């Protein structure tokens, strides 16, 4: 057989994976082209990545661009080889002493293959173990240049980014949709070095000082006796800690609200949590807090959706993110800052800016938008990118500096220590996904996993043997400048008096929620506390809630069968409408629409509706009794889900075109879920009676009767822009 020259085969197996003849593609294909029915035998080069995927930029371990295609980093050989490039005739059988004899120690391929397998897992993160990630670009609008000299904020500047979303408590194998805080970490590959903005989807933290971080994590993780529950805070040790350590009250309240179960990473806010210091070209400093604002608005699951997703699709959030990017509904966030004077007391309107359990309401300090981030490509390899990416809040660029926030100060040590432990040594910055896109000459040498080949004989300063290189940079060469900050006082383990206020911001948050959000929050408290074995912990939690809101405490007590606590005389607080997810309208792009059909449905009408939904920037998923395309091979409309496999959680709304003459029970279940979850349903006149017969309530506020498929999107748009039919 002649050797393949490495060119990619142009042969395409199977049919194109598209939803309609017009070419709109359904997301989720596992490979860039359809496979053949039989195992291929004709040698060909590895397939290229799918069109929605990207790999880390091709820079050297010292930050220099190679100009090479990123795909060249992937394995290229047409033939299976050893790690050293030796071609192999088989990988199915070990080398043995005779046909039935023992395996020989000299089988290098066996030992190399097994040894690598034994070591292919690295220690998972203690927190934020389960993550999903994407490549993207940040475009600055120039609005930050008056307060920050970092080049990443130059007008029109585009900077590559890599973003990782995650849950906090669960292991890598846990479910996406658990009630938990989410990580929101962004790596900016700027031309002045790497900047990591490492935050969460909740702007306040459980603790004020990093010395308590092991305590809160040990309390929230599974019980050490049974290693349960996984990825949940609904257990005794968590509630024992947060009811005794009441500085956690505000964060716990956010977590028990709908913010604890996001609908999608695409509809999730991000916060830098801490207050940072910015300096401009003149050396003038300001204090800032970072905010990521999703263009699609902030949206959460209701409890039923989260439970269904945990069983039906535990990968719900990572699938949603990847599918959106693949289908062209690119997620976007605006980056904004709240800006405060850099005063000696570092207070603003009575709020201590160094307390990470506090927010500054947007009504007091509006968020100034300074740029927009768009996620454009999925990772090519989960381990190499999503798993090995290493963030650190100390990775800063000129014009951005830290403050004395005691939680941030501890993170500056902890993150570096963690990456060295998890990634096997100090050279984790040389992994492709972590490599800076600015030139590096750090004089560091050797160590585990060193992949740079350093030249020169003088890795020290000062030197003359290497010509004095590397030299020091000044401010005009973009050097990192430590902003002088006055420090006074005695060494002490005490904290400011302002840190003692544990409840005013919890009251602010709860009273800013819409009534339906408050109801969800009370139910979440009751569910979680009911999972606690010890009655004293349940009672203590209710007692803490009296410091937040009397009606909330009474509601939770009633649900738990506990005596109603007596009222307290609480100081009044203002509300912040920006904290509620209800009451505004947002773009609807990227929302998923179920199109319910049957075998007899008109493929031309369904195809036209699918095209209309695609063209509006939404994602249609056609549901039918079987997976057989509508209309046969010519002019076929692809079926995305069958009634047997579909559940309401995937859909933001539904269009009922037709229903089977004898619908499966699953159809009625779906109607019930759509209505309970407040989702809009547009029903063709011809299908209304059949839909009502199996469970659709024609009086449901979200039901729209339409005469043709062309009326479907206008009927759904209002409810979609508000996320749900909130009257439900």
């Amino acid at each position: 057989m002649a050797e393949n020259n490495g060119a990619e085969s142009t042969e395409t197996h199977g049919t194109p994976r598209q939803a309609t003849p017009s070419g709109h593609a359904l997301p989720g294909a596992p490979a860039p082209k359809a496979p053949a029915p039989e195992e291929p035998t004709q040698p060909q080069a590895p397939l290229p990545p799918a069109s929605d995927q990207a790999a880390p930029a091709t820079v050297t371990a010292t930050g220099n661009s190679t100009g090479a295609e990123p795909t060249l980093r992937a394995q290229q050989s047409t033939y299976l080889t050893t790690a050293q490039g030796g071609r192999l005739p088989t990988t199915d059988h070990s080398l043995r002493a005779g046909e039935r004899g023992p395996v020989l120690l000299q089988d290098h391929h066996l030992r190399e293959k097994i040894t690598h397998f034994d070591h292919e897992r690295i220690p998972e993160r203690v927190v934020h173990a389960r993550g999903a990630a994407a490549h993207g670009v940040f475009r600055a609008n120039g609005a930050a240049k008056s307060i920050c000299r970092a080049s990443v904020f130059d007008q029109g500047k585009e900077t590559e980014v890599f973003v990782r979303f995650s849950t906090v408590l669960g292991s890598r194998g846990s479910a996406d949709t658990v009630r938990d805080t989410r990580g929101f970490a962004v790596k900016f590959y700027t031309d002045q070095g790497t900047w990591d903005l490492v935050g969460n989807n909740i702007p306040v933290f459980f603790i004020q000082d990093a010395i308590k971080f092991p305590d809160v994590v040990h309390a929230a993780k599974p019980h050490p006796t049974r290693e349960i529950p996984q990825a949940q805070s609904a257990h005794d040790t968590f509630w024992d800690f947060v009811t005794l350590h009441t500085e956690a009250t505000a964060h716990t309240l956010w977590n028990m609200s709908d913010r604890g179960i996001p609908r999608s990473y695409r509809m999730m806010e991000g916060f830098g949590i801490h207050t940072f210091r910015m300096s401009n070209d003149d050396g003038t400093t300001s204090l800032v807090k970072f905010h990521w604002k999703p263009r699609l608005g902030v949206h959460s699951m209701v409890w039923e959706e989260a439970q269904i997703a945990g069983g039906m699709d535990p990968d719900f959030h990572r699938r949603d993110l990847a599918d959106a990017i693949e289908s062209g509904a690119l997620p976007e966030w605006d980056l904004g800052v709240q800006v405060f004077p850099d005063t000696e007391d570092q207070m603003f309107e009575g709020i201590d800016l160094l307390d990470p359990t506090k927010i500054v309401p947007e009504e007091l300090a509006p968020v100034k938008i300074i740029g927009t981030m768009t996620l454009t490509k999925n990772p090519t390899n989960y381990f190499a990118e999503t798993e090995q990416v290493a963030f650190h809040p100390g990775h800063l660029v000129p014009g951005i500096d830290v403050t004395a926030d005691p939680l941030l100060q501890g993170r500056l040590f902890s993150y570096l220590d963690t990456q060295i432990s998890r990634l096997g040594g100090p050279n984790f910055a040389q992994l492709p996904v972590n490599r800076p896109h600015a030139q590096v000459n750090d004089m560091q040498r050797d160590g585990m996993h060193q992949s740079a080949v350093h030249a020169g004989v003088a890795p020290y300063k000062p030197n003359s043997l290497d010509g004095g290189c590397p030299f020091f940079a000044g401010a005009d060469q973009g050097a990192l400048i430590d902003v002088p900050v006055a420090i006074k006082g005695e060494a002490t383990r005490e904290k400011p008096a302002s840190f003692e206020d544990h409840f005013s911001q919890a009251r602010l948050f709860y009273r800013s929620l819409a009534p339906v959000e408050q109801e969800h929050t009370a139910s979440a408290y009751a569910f979680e506390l009911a999972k606690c074995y010890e009655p004293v912990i349940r009672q203590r939690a209710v007692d803490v809630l009296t410091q937040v809101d009397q009606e909330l405490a009474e509601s939770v007590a009633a649900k738990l069968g506990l005596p109603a606590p007596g009222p307290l005389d609480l100081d009044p607080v203002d509300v912040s409408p920006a904290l509620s997810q209800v009451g505004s309208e947002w773009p609807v792009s990227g929302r998923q629409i179920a199109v319910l059909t049957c075998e007899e449905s008109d493929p031309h009408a369904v195809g036209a509706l699918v095209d209309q939904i695609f063209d509006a920037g939404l994602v249609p998923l056609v549901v039918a009794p079987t997976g057989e395309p509508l209309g046969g091979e010519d002019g076929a409309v692809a079926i995305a889900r069958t009634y047997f496999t579909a559940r309401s959680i995937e859909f933001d709304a539904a269009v009922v075109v037709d229903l089977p003459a004898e619908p499966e029970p699953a159809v009625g279940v779906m109607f019930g879920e759509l209505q309970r979850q407040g989702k809009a349903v547009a029903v063709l006149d011809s299908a209304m009676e059949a839909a009502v017969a199996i469970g659709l309530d024609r009086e449901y506020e979200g039901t729209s009767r339409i005469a043709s498929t062309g009326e479907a999107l206008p009927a759904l748009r209002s409810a979609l822009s508000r996320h749900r039919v909130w009257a439900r």
Side-chain angles (χ1 to χ4, degrees):
M1 182 180 296
E3 178 177 331
N4 185 283
N5 63 8
E8 181 187 355
S9 171
T10 58
E11 180 184 4
T12 300
H13 301 290
T15 57
R17 281 171 261 192
Q18 57 189 40
T20 66
S22 58
H24 290 298
L26 287 174
K33 71 176 186 179
E38 299 82 21
E39 180 182 359
T41 57
Q42 181 66 33
Q44 63 174 353
L47 296 178
S51 60
D52 65 290
Q53 293 177 326
T58 52
V59 292
T60 69
T62 52
N64 297 294
S65 175
T66 67
E69 286 294 323
T71 53
L72 294 180
R73 183 183 285 112
Q75 298 186 0
Q76 297 292 311
S77 175
T78 299
Y79 296 95
L80 179 66
T81 72
T82 67
Q84 307 305 315
R87 292 184 179 181
L88 293 164
T90 181
T91 190
D92 295 332
H93 307 287
S94 302
L95 184 65
R96 296 201 256 183
E99 188 177 272
R100 301 176 62 82
V103 173
L104 298 176
L105 184 61
Q106 72 186 58
D107 189 344
H108 171 73
H109 173 48
L110 165 69
R111 290 185 291 118
E112 181 184 77
K113 183 177 181 180
I114 295 298
T115 298
H116 195 282
F117 171 77
D118 291 343
H119 293 267
E120 70 182 27
R121 292 291 177 267
I122 64 176
E124 70 174 31
R125 292 166 169 87
V126 177
V127 288
H128 299 280
R130 182 171 180 81
H135 296 269
V137 63
F138 173 76
R139 297 177 180 86
N141 62 17
K145 289 306 292 183
S146 61
I147 59 172
C148 186
R149 62 191 179 94
S151 66
V152 67
F153 297 130
D154 290 348
Q155 171 76 43
K157 186 71 168 286
E158 293 193 355
T159 301
E160 290 181 86
V161 297
F162 188 77
V163 184
R164 188 178 189 270
F165 305 105
S166 56
T167 54
V168 171
L169 294 181
S171 69
R172 278 189 58 190
S174 58
D176 278 347
T177 57
V178 295
R179 181 180 296 282
D180 196 3
T181 307
R182 264 70 182 180
F184 194 130
V186 183
K187 185 176 289 292
F188 295 79
Y189 300 101
T190 88
D191 55 14
Q192 294 179 307
T194 299
W195 172 37
D196 288 346
L197 182 52
V198 193
N200 289 334
N201 74 320
I202 292 176
V204 292
F205 212 70
F206 279 112
I207 53 175
Q208 296 168 329
D209 192 308
I211 200 169
K212 295 299 296 179
F213 196 74
D215 298 294
V216 67
V217 173
H218 289 166
K221 283 289 191 176
H223 291 194
T225 50
R226 299 186 180 187
E227 189 64 12
I228 57 173
Q230 174 63 240
Q232 294 185 52
S233 54
H235 55 88
D236 288 77
T237 59
F238 173 81
W239 287 99
D240 183 41
F241 177 82
V242 300
T243 56
L244 293 172
H245 199 68
T246 53
E247 68 190 48
T249 302
H251 185 113
T252 304
L253 196 64
W254 278 76
N255 216 33
M256 293 301 107
S257 78
D258 291 342
R259 300 282 186 137
I261 42 175
R263 161 64 179 83
S264 164
Y265 290 136
R266 300 177 290 127
M267 304 167 195
M268 187 175 81
E269 273 186 299
F271 302 92
I273 301 171
H274 309 288
T275 298
F276 290 84
R277 177 174 283 105
M278 282 186 168
S279 57
N280 62 14
D281 290 330
D282 298 329
T284 304
T285 61
S286 305
L287 300 180
V288 302
K289 285 183 175 290
F290 291 103
H291 296 247
W292 289 107
K293 298 286 188 183
R295 288 281 181 94
L296 295 178
V298 186
H299 187 26
S300 295
M301 288 184 160
V302 295
W303 185 238
E304 181 184 55
E305 287 177 296
Q307 299 313 296
I308 295 171
M312 294 287 294
D313 188 2
D315 306 302
F316 184 86
H317 282 150
R318 62 173 65 183
R319 188 188 313 282
D320 173 88
L321 178 68
D323 282 357
I325 294 171
E326 184 184 348
S327 59
L330 303 181
E332 291 186 302
W333 288 261
D334 289 325
L335 178 62
V337 288
Q338 290 178 295
V339 184
F340 316 102
D342 190 2
T343 57
E344 183 179 0
D345 63 3
Q346 297 174 97
M347 303 280 288
F348 182 80
E349 298 288 343
I351 299 168
D352 194 327
L353 297 177
L354 298 188
D355 183 350
T357 67
K358 304 289 195 301
I359 64 167
V360 177
E362 294 183 28
E363 291 75 17
L364 296 179
V367 176
K368 178 180 183 179
I369 301 303
I370 60 176
T372 300
M373 178 175 71
T374 305
L375 299 186
T376 57
K377 296 290 183 180
N378 288 309
T380 299
N381 182 274
Y382 184 94
F383 178 82
E385 299 169 80
T386 308
E387 186 61 22
Q388 289 197 130
V389 66
F391 296 96
H392 190 321
H395 293 164
L396 301 168
V397 289
I400 305 175
D401 204 353
V402 300
T403 59
D405 174 339
L407 178 65
L408 175 57
Q409 293 282 308
R411 292 177 73 197
L412 295 174
F413 166 77
S414 178
Y415 276 64
L416 179 60
D417 192 47
T418 293
Q419 306 303 359
I420 291 173
S421 173
R422 196 174 66 85
L423 296 172
N427 291 313
F428 59 85
Q430 295 183 16
L431 293 167
V433 72
N434 295 321
R435 290 179 178 179
H437 295 187
Q439 291 185 340
V440 174
N441 193 345
D442 57 10
M443 294 196 302
Q444 311 292 353
R445 292 293 185 268
D446 307 335
M448 294 280 286
H449 311 305
Q450 176 64 252
S451 57
V453 181
H454 293 99
V457 298
Y460 51 82
K461 289 290 291 181
N463 78 73
S464 63
L465 293 176
D466 280 346
C469 186
F471 296 90
F472 297 120
D476 54 345
Q477 286 93 35
L480 291 165
I481 302 297
D482 298 308
V483 176
V485 178
I487 299 174
K488 62 182 180 180
E490 300 176 345
T492 177
R493 291 190 182 273
E494 297 180 0
K495 60 185 178 182
S498 57
F499 278 45
E500 295 294 343
D501 173 15
H502 298 169
F503 300 110
S504 66
Q505 290 233 327
R507 289 200 294 276
L508 163 70
F509 176 71
Y510 180 74
R511 293 183 181 179
S512 300
L513 300 180
V516 65
E517 294 173 296
Q518 292 181 342
E519 179 186 337
H520 292 170
T521 303
S523 296
Y525 267 99
F527 174 84
E528 297 247 333
L529 291 169
K531 292 285 189 177
C532 293
Y533 180 85
E534 296 294 347
V536 67
I537 293 177
R538 297 196 291 268
Q539 184 64 60
R540 190 195 304 146
V542 171
D543 293 343
V544 169
L545 289 179
T546 62
Q547 303 276 355
V548 178
D549 184 87
Q550 183 63 27
E551 291 185 2
L552 172 62
E554 291 177 355
S555 174
V556 174
K559 288 178 169 63
L560 295 174
L562 296 174
L568 298 177
D569 185 17
L570 303 177
D571 293 333
V573 294
D574 294 327
V575 299
S576 173
L579 298 178
S580 174
Q581 299 183 48
V582 179
S584 299
E585 295 188 10
W586 294 274
V588 300
S589 59
R591 304 303 170 95
Q592 297 193 157
I593 311 299
V595 179
L596 308 188
T597 67
C598 68
E599 293 97 328
E600 291 77 29
S601 295
D602 180 356
H604 300 291
V606 174
L609 174 60
V610 168
D611 281 338
Q612 181 187 7
I613 295 172
F614 267 127
D615 293 340
L618 292 86
V619 180
L621 298 174
V622 180
V623 187
T626 72
E628 186 70 22
L630 292 177
E633 290 299 322
D634 297 327
V637 176
I639 304 302
R641 305 288 186 271
T642 67
Y643 288 111
F644 183 71
T645 61
R647 288 297 288 268
S648 60
I649 55 169
E650 291 189 88
F651 313 126
D652 296 289
V655 181
V656 183
V657 177
D658 292 301
L659 289 172
E662 296 183 4
E664 301 176 34
V667 185
V669 170
M670 184 186 300
F671 282 150
E673 291 172 353
L674 290 169
Q675 293 169 115
R676 289 194 301 275
Q677 296 160 11
K679 296 174 181 177
V681 183
V683 189
L684 260 69
D685 285 332
S686 57
M688 179 61 80
E689 295 307 317
V692 170
I694 58 172
L696 183 69
D697 181 0
R698 72 172 80 235
E699 303 302 321
Y700 163 54
E701 299 90 336
T703 300
S704 300
R705 190 163 190 154
I706 57 177
S708 67
T709 55
E711 298 177 9
L713 271 185
L716 298 175
R717 188 172 291 274
S718 177
L720 283 172
S721 69
R722 293 179 172 87
H723 296 317
R724 295 188 190 277
V725 182
W726 288 109
R728 190 65 176 180

